[in-house]
Amino acid sequence: MKTTASARLGKPSKGNKQNAPSPVLKVLLHTVLWGIALLQIFPLVWLINYSFLKSGEFFGKSILKWPEKLEWTNYVNAFTYGSVPKFMLNSFFITMVTILVAAILSVMLSYAFVRMQWKLRKATMALILLGMIVPIHATLLPNFILFDWLHLIDNPLSLILPYIAFSLPISMLIISGFMETIPRSIEESAVMDGCSVFGIIFRIILPITKPAIATVCIMNFISWWNEFIMANTFLTSETFKTLPFSIMKFTGQYSSNYGAQFAVMTLIALPTVITYLLFTEQMSRGITAGAVKG
Amino acid sequence: MRTPISASSTITISPRAKPLWKRFLSQWQVQAMIWPALIFIFVFSYLPMYGVLMAFQDYSLFKGFFGSQWTGLKHFEAFFHSPDFFRVIRNTIVISLLKLFIGFPAPILLALMLNEVRNMVFKRVIQTISYLPHFLSWVIVSGFTISLLSVDNGSLNILLQSLGLTDKPINFLSTPEYFWGIIVTTNLWKEIGFATIVYLAAIAGVDQSMYEAASIDGANKFKQIFLITLPSITPVILIFLILNIGGLLNAGFDDLLLLGSSPMLRDVADVIDTYAYRVGIINNRFSYAAAVGLFKAIISVGLLTMANYLARRAGSSLW
C-alpha cells in the first residue's frame, strides 16, 4: 500500500461530479463532523478556561465558565508551590537524553541492518522488532527488582534506560524503512574517497535520513513526555520527579486547589500539543509508516 | 566493509585460525553499531521476562532470585481459587469487548465520512482536532474527566440539570454502574483520531479509476463505499482486528488505574493488569503478581494465534 503525502491528504477523487451527493446529505455530513470536532476540542477549551479562573468562580450554573479577566495566580501557584520549573526540567532532561540516545542507536542499528551483510542479521532484526510487543507494564515489576539491585531506584537512569529500550524497535523500523530508499552510489563514492564506516554514517547517512529521524524523535518525545506509570513506580523522592507529579501537589484529601491543578495540566499538555500542531505532517507519516504494512 | 582499523589482523598468520576476540576486534564497527541497541532491548525488555519464573517460587527481595524457594504452581492455584479471580477476569473481558465494539468501528466510520468531504481545509481541521487528544497523557485526560464529572459543580451534572434530566447531581465516579461507560467514552475520545489517520491513508491508496467506473455504471455514493472502499481497506481492518483480538486481555492500564483508583470502583475497575500491579508493587506479593501476569500472557498468545489463524483463512495475516 503506497501512500504519498499528497494522497494521504485525500486527493479529491475526480469524476464524481456527475453524481455528487445531494445537498441534504452534504449538510448532514458536515454537521456530524463539526459535532465530532466540537466534542473532541471541548474538554481542552474547558481545561484552559478553568486554568484562568479565580477559585470563587468555579461555582456557577454554566458548563463553560469564561473568566472575567485572565487570572494568572493559578500559574504562579503552579510555579511556586507545585515545583513546576524543577519537575519540568527533570521531564525535559529525561525525555531529551532518551530521544537523543534512541535516535543515534537506531540510526546505527538501521545502517547495520540495511547496508551490511552479516550472519544472524535477519534473526537479530526479528529479535529487535519483537521488542515492540513486550508490554511495558509486564516489565515494571522485574525492572523494579533489577533497579533495586543496581541501586538505581529514584535515579533518572531508571527511567531513561527502559525508555530507550522501548523506543528502539519502532524507531529502527521507521528509520531503516527510510534508509532502504537511499541510493547506494553516494556511499560507494565516499568509500572510494577513503571515508570510514562511521564517517559514512555521520557525514552522509545522518543528513539524508534527517526527515525520518525527525519523525522518530517527535514520536518518542510525545510518548515519553506523557509517560507516568514507570515514573510513578521507579521514582520515590522529590529530586527527580517528572512533571505529572506536580498535579499531586494540589490534590489534598479534603480540599484541592483545582485552579492550580488545571494550570499544571495545561502546562503538561502544552509542549505535546504545540509539537503536534507544528509537526502534524511528520507525525502522521510516522504512524502510517509504522502501522500500514507494505 | 573493511577499513584501516583492520590492520591489526596482520599479526595473525592464518586468517582461519584467528581467535574469536580478534575477529571481533577487526569488525569492531559493525559490532559497535549493533551491540548497544541489542543490549538495551535485551536487558530492559526481554530480561524482565525472567520475572515469569518468580511465579513458580516464593520470591523474596532479600533472598534474591536464586535464594528463593521453588513452590511449583502454588501461586496459580491461589489465584484461581481467590475470590478476586472471577471478578478480575469478567472485568477484563467486558471492558475489552466494550472498547472493541465501540472503539473499533468508530474510526472506520469517521474515516469514511472524512473521505467524502471535498473541502480540503475543513477536512484538515477536523482531522487535526480529532487526532489531538491522542497526544495528551492519561494523567491529563483523567484529571479533567474527574472534574467534568464531579458532583459539586461538574459541567456534565450542570448540563443534565439544566436540561431537566436529573433533579440532583449524580456522583458518576463513585457509582460502579457508570464506570464502564466512562472508560469506553474517554478511550473513544482519546484514540479515535489515531486509527482514523491509518484508515484514511488506506482509503487514499484505493485506485480512483474504480470509482469512476462505478459512477459511470450508476453506483451511488453508499454503493461505492460498500462495494469499493470497504473491500479495498479490508486487509488493514483485518490487521487491526487481529491485533485487537490478540490484545483482548489488555483491557487498558493507565486509564483504569487513574480513573478507577477509588476502592468503591474496585468491583468493576480491577482488570488482570491493574490487579497484578496492585498486589505486586503495592502489596509486595511479587510471586503472586508474576503468576497472574504469566496466566494472562499464556492466554494472550493463544488468542493472537487463533485470531491470526482465522485471518489467514480470510486471506490476510500478521506472520
Side-chain angles (χ1 to χ4, degrees):
Chain A
M1 198 164 305
K2 256 218 171 106
T3 48
T4 57
S6 70
R8 187 165 13 77
L9 295 180
K11 235 184 307 177
S13 47
K14 292 154 282 170
N16 281 341
K17 282 274 164 4
Q18 61 269 45
N19 68 341
S22 67
V24 184
L25 270 179
K26 197 180 162 192
V27 168
L28 195 72
L29 179 72
H30 280 231
T31 322
V32 170
L33 286 175
W34 273 121
I36 293 173
L38 208 66
L39 278 177
Q40 294 293 98
I41 202 83
F42 173 78
L44 298 176
V45 176
W46 184 92
L47 178 67
I48 295 168
N49 231 326
Y50 269 45
S51 71
F52 285 112
L53 285 182
K54 266 191 291 206
S55 48
E57 289 179 312
F58 286 108
F59 300 92
K61 283 285 157 219
S62 56
I63 306 170
L64 256 183
K65 300 176 182 76
W66 296 96
E68 280 166 26
K69 68 174 180 49
L70 293 188
E71 183 70 43
W72 290 97
T73 344
N74 294 325
Y75 286 90
V76 174
N77 279 338
F79 270 87
T80 46
Y81 302 116
S83 328
V84 164
K86 191 170 87 183
F87 288 174
M88 198 177 239
L89 208 67
N90 287 341
S91 273
F92 261 113
F93 172 73
I94 290 173
T95 339
M96 287 305 156
V97 173
T98 303
I99 61 179
L100 206 73
V101 178
I104 294 172
L105 287 182
S106 45
V107 167
M108 296 203 301
L109 198 61
S110 307
Y111 190 78
F113 282 135
V114 173
R115 286 292 198 262
M116 295 179 170
Q117 294 302 323
W118 39 286
K119 250 191 246 171
L120 295 178
R121 187 175 67 100
K122 283 251 168 70
T124 316
M125 195 161 176
L127 193 72
I128 284 175
L129 286 180
L130 266 180
M132 252 191 288
I133 62 166
V134 173
I136 287 182
H137 48 253
T139 63
L140 282 175
L141 189 63
N143 272 344
F144 181 83
I145 294 168
L146 177 73
F147 291 136
D148 191 61
W149 183 62
L150 293 171
H151 299 287
L152 279 181
I153 290 291
D154 201 31
N155 184 314
L157 274 179
S158 67
L159 293 184
I160 293 173
L161 297 175
Y163 284 179
I164 294 172
F166 281 103
S167 310
L168 284 175
I170 183 79
S171 310
M172 199 270 296
L173 186 69
I174 292 173
I175 292 179
S176 64
F178 187 88
M179 248 180 221
E180 270 163 15
T181 64
I182 303 174
R184 278 164 191 262
S185 49
I186 311 172
E187 291 150 68
E188 278 160 13
S189 55
V191 175
M192 299 288 270
D193 293 343
C195 194
S196 73
V197 177
F198 284 101
I200 292 174
I201 293 184
F202 288 105
R203 284 155 70 182
I204 296 168
I205 293 295
L206 211 57
I208 303 179
T209 332
K210 248 187 214 156
I213 297 175
T215 303
V216 163
C217 286
I218 294 161
M219 285 176 62
N220 287 339
F221 171 74
I222 286 178
S223 56
W224 300 125
W225 180 263
N226 286 335
E227 207 281 328
F228 178 66
I229 298 297
M230 265 197 239
N232 193 26
T233 312
F234 298 144
L235 299 179
T236 47
S237 76
E238 287 286 288
T239 337
F240 301 112
K241 281 193 171 163
T242 51
L243 201 46
F245 289 93
S246 289
I247 301 176
M248 291 174 186
K249 296 236 164 186
F250 299 106
T251 39
Q253 202 176 349
Y254 301 105
S255 69
S256 296
N257 183 347
Y258 289 113
Q261 276 186 46
F262 296 135
V264 175
M265 286 186 212
T266 312
L267 287 171
I268 300 175
L270 217 56
T272 46
V273 169
I274 291 174
T275 316
Y276 164 62
L277 292 177
L278 285 178
F279 301 102
T280 321
E281 194 55 28
Q282 273 98 334
M283 293 299 312
S284 25
R285 196 183 303 150
I287 303 299
T288 41
V292 181
K293 240 180 26 173
Chain B
M1 216 168 279
R2 283 295 187 84
T3 42
I5 306 298
S6 53
S8 63
S9 61
T10 45
I11 309 160
T12 43
I13 307 143
S14 146
R16 257 182 306 148
K18 263 200 293 190
L20 196 64
W21 66 272
K22 275 197 179 146
R23 261 193 357 224
F24 192 88
L25 269 187
S26 71
Q27 312 168 334
W28 72 274
Q29 289 112 330
V30 196
Q31 306 288 1
M33 275 189 259
I34 297 154
W35 282 105
L38 208 57
I39 289 170
F40 261 106
I41 293 183
F42 184 74
V43 172
F44 298 106
S45 306
Y46 285 126
L47 200 63
M49 296 295 130
Y50 86 87
V52 301
L53 292 179
M54 288 190 313
F56 302 102
Q57 41 175 226
D58 268 333
Y59 185 83
S60 125
L61 268 184
F62 306 106
K63 290 185 200 148
F65 181 67
F66 295 103
S68 298
Q69 182 104 47
W70 292 93
T71 56
L73 296 173
K74 180 180 126 187
H75 296 291
F76 291 89
E77 279 165 24
F79 176 51
F80 296 146
H81 292 128
S82 91
D84 304 321
F85 179 75
F86 171 73
R87 178 172 59 103
V88 165
I89 299 289
R90 181 204 61 190
N91 290 342
T92 308
I93 292 174
V94 169
I95 291 176
S96 197
L97 282 180
L98 282 174
K99 280 183 180 174
L100 181 69
F101 283 135
I102 293 161
F104 184 71
I108 303 177
L109 213 63
L110 183 59
L112 287 176
M113 287 199 290
L114 273 174
N115 191 48
E116 295 306 320
V117 173
R118 292 285 160 271
N119 182 341
M120 287 323 292
V121 180
F122 175 65
K123 182 176 176 178
R124 197 63 203 266
V125 167
I126 304 281
Q127 205 180 325
T128 307
I129 290 176
S130 67
Y131 193 20
L132 189 62
H134 174 74
F135 298 101
L136 300 178
S137 102
W138 268 111
V139 176
I140 300 172
V141 177
S142 62
F144 65 65
T145 307
I146 290 168
S147 302
L148 276 169
L149 300 180
S150 95
V151 171
D152 336 318
N153 53 352
S155 295
L156 187 61
N157 271 318
I158 294 174
L159 180 72
L160 289 178
Q161 277 175 307
S162 64
L163 289 176
L165 290 172
T166 52
D167 301 331
K168 51 180 197 295
I170 301 169
N171 197 347
F172 286 104
L173 276 164
S174 305
T175 320
E177 286 81 47
Y178 293 119
F179 184 71
W180 289 342
I182 292 167
I183 281 293
V184 170
T185 315
T186 46
N187 269 283
L188 184 68
W189 179 80
K190 192 173 181 301
E191 303 299 344
I192 190 169
F194 173 77
T196 302
I197 290 223
V198 180
Y199 288 125
L200 268 179
I203 291 175
V206 178
D207 188 357
Q208 292 300 327
S209 58
M210 285 201 279
Y211 293 106
E212 285 162 33
S215 67
I216 289 169
D217 288 346
N220 65 16
K221 267 262 124 31
F222 289 105
K223 271 208 163 138
Q224 290 182 20
I225 288 173
F226 279 106
L227 298 175
I228 301 171
T229 315
L230 279 178
S232 305
I233 62 169
T234 307
V236 182
I237 296 179
L238 271 179
I239 284 179
F240 264 71
L241 196 63
I242 300 170
L243 289 175
N244 267 306
I245 293 174
L248 193 67
L249 295 189
N250 296 328
F253 191 70
D254 298 45
D255 48 347
L256 295 167
L257 215 55
L258 290 162
L259 281 171
S261 57
S262 146
M264 263 180 285
L265 294 175
R266 205 156 275 172
D267 257 352
V268 286
D270 245 1
V271 299
I272 301 180
D273 287 327
T274 53
Y275 177 71
Y277 179 76
R278 204 182 59 236
V279 294
I281 295 202
I282 298 167
N283 301 347
N284 283 333
R285 293 169 65 193
F286 295 133
S287 288
Y288 183 72
V292 176
L294 182 58
F295 165 75
K296 185 205 146 190
I298 292 168
I299 304 227
S300 290
V301 169
L303 282 171
L304 192 64
T305 321
M306 194 187 73
N308 195 55
Y309 170 76
L310 291 177
R312 188 179 292 158
R313 297 197 58 180
S316 157
S317 90
L318 278 184
W319 62 79

